[in-house]
Amino acid sequence: MVRAASGADAGAEPVPQRLLAVATRLFADQGFETTSVQQIVDAAGVTKGAMYHYFDSKDDLLSEIYSRLLREQTARLEVAADRDAPVQERLHAVAVDVVVTTAANLDDTVIFFRSMHLLHPDKQAEVRAARRRYHERVRALVQEGQASGVFRSDKSADLVVDFFYGAVHHLGTWFHQGGELTGEQVGEHFADLLLASLRP
């Protein structure tokens, strides 16, 4: 369980954020299994006691690395999905945003999908439930467009969402900062392809 920082931790970088930044770097460089708690606290310049004040375990660090990105993406999804705009514009904005935010936090996503099976089953269930709620909100946009005739209705909304996010989750296998395309450009291409696949 992640605990909130106290006022005494105020500074250039709060201890929880420092621990998460260090854990992200170490998990990306050498893997979750081979990274020890001692390595994390040494690199963060804190004691084990300080770490355990905020995180119950190394598992908590791993789940929080992914969960913080999912929380941000979910908040941005809700804003885009609730706009007063045609459904195709809202879905396009959502699709671009999830690619841009995933590309900007690629280590987080790569680490999590590489190591999720190592989490305690309860943690896995929590994260899967949060991701499912996100996907269900996107599916509702697809279904809204299908019901109004804007999107083709001969394809399962569930399948459309799974297909799209399968591609997003594989960004870590080929995308890199400084490549031929920016995250924004990839997001526009992915969103255009999604909308093209839904046209009647």
Side-chain angles (χ1 to χ4, degrees):
M1 177 183 180
V2 182
R3 300 185 178 91
S6 69
D9 295 313
E13 187 176 26
V15 171
Q17 283 67 41
R18 197 187 325 159
L19 285 163
L20 286 167
V22 165
T24 299
R25 187 178 73 245
L26 289 173
F27 294 165
D29 289 347
Q30 59 192 41
F32 174 76
E33 285 182 292
T34 56
T35 300
S36 68
V37 169
Q38 191 63 55
Q39 288 176 304
I40 294 169
V41 297
D42 286 348
V46 301
T47 64
K48 283 186 179 179
M51 175 182 148
Y52 289 127
H53 178 71
Y54 298 101
F55 302 97
D56 287 340
S57 65
K58 194 172 72 165
D59 270 23
D60 267 2
L61 282 165
L62 177 60
S63 61
E64 179 61 14
I65 284 169
Y66 182 69
S67 295
R68 63 182 175 180
L69 174 58
L70 186 56
R71 284 194 300 271
E72 176 191 352
Q73 290 174 330
T74 300
R76 293 165 70 99
L77 162 65
E78 294 295 346
V79 171
D82 291 340
R83 284 172 45 215
D84 183 16
V87 66
Q88 59 268 39
E89 291 182 18
R90 287 179 280 140
L91 183 61
H92 191 278
V94 166
V96 171
D97 184 74
V98 74
V99 173
V100 170
T101 52
T102 298
N105 299 276
L106 213 53
D107 277 351
D108 300 39
T109 304
V110 170
I111 290 165
F112 189 81
F113 283 106
R114 188 171 63 197
S115 307
M116 180 177 174
H117 67 285
L118 300 171
L119 282 176
H120 186 280
D122 290 346
K123 286 285 181 190
Q124 289 188 42
E126 287 176 14
V127 174
R128 285 197 175 104
R131 196 167 71 219
R132 185 169 57 251
R133 287 192 294 272
Y134 179 96
H135 286 189
E136 286 171 352
R137 187 67 181 89
V138 180
R139 182 186 64 194
L141 285 175
V142 175
Q143 291 173 325
E144 179 185 339
Q146 289 175 327
S148 64
V150 174
F151 299 152
R152 61 190 296 176
S153 58
D154 62 332
K155 303 299 179 188
S156 160
D158 278 318
L159 188 59
V160 169
V161 171
D162 287 344
F163 183 81
F164 176 76
Y165 283 96
V168 174
H169 294 157
H170 276 87
L171 279 173
T173 65
W174 63 270
F175 179 83
H176 58 90
Q177 301 294 342
E180 184 179 346
L181 296 173
T182 66
E184 183 73 34
Q185 289 171 323
V186 174
E188 290 288 341
H189 285 307
F190 271 38
D192 288 347
L193 288 167
L194 173 61
L195 270 292
S197 74
L198 286 168
R199 289 195 191 104

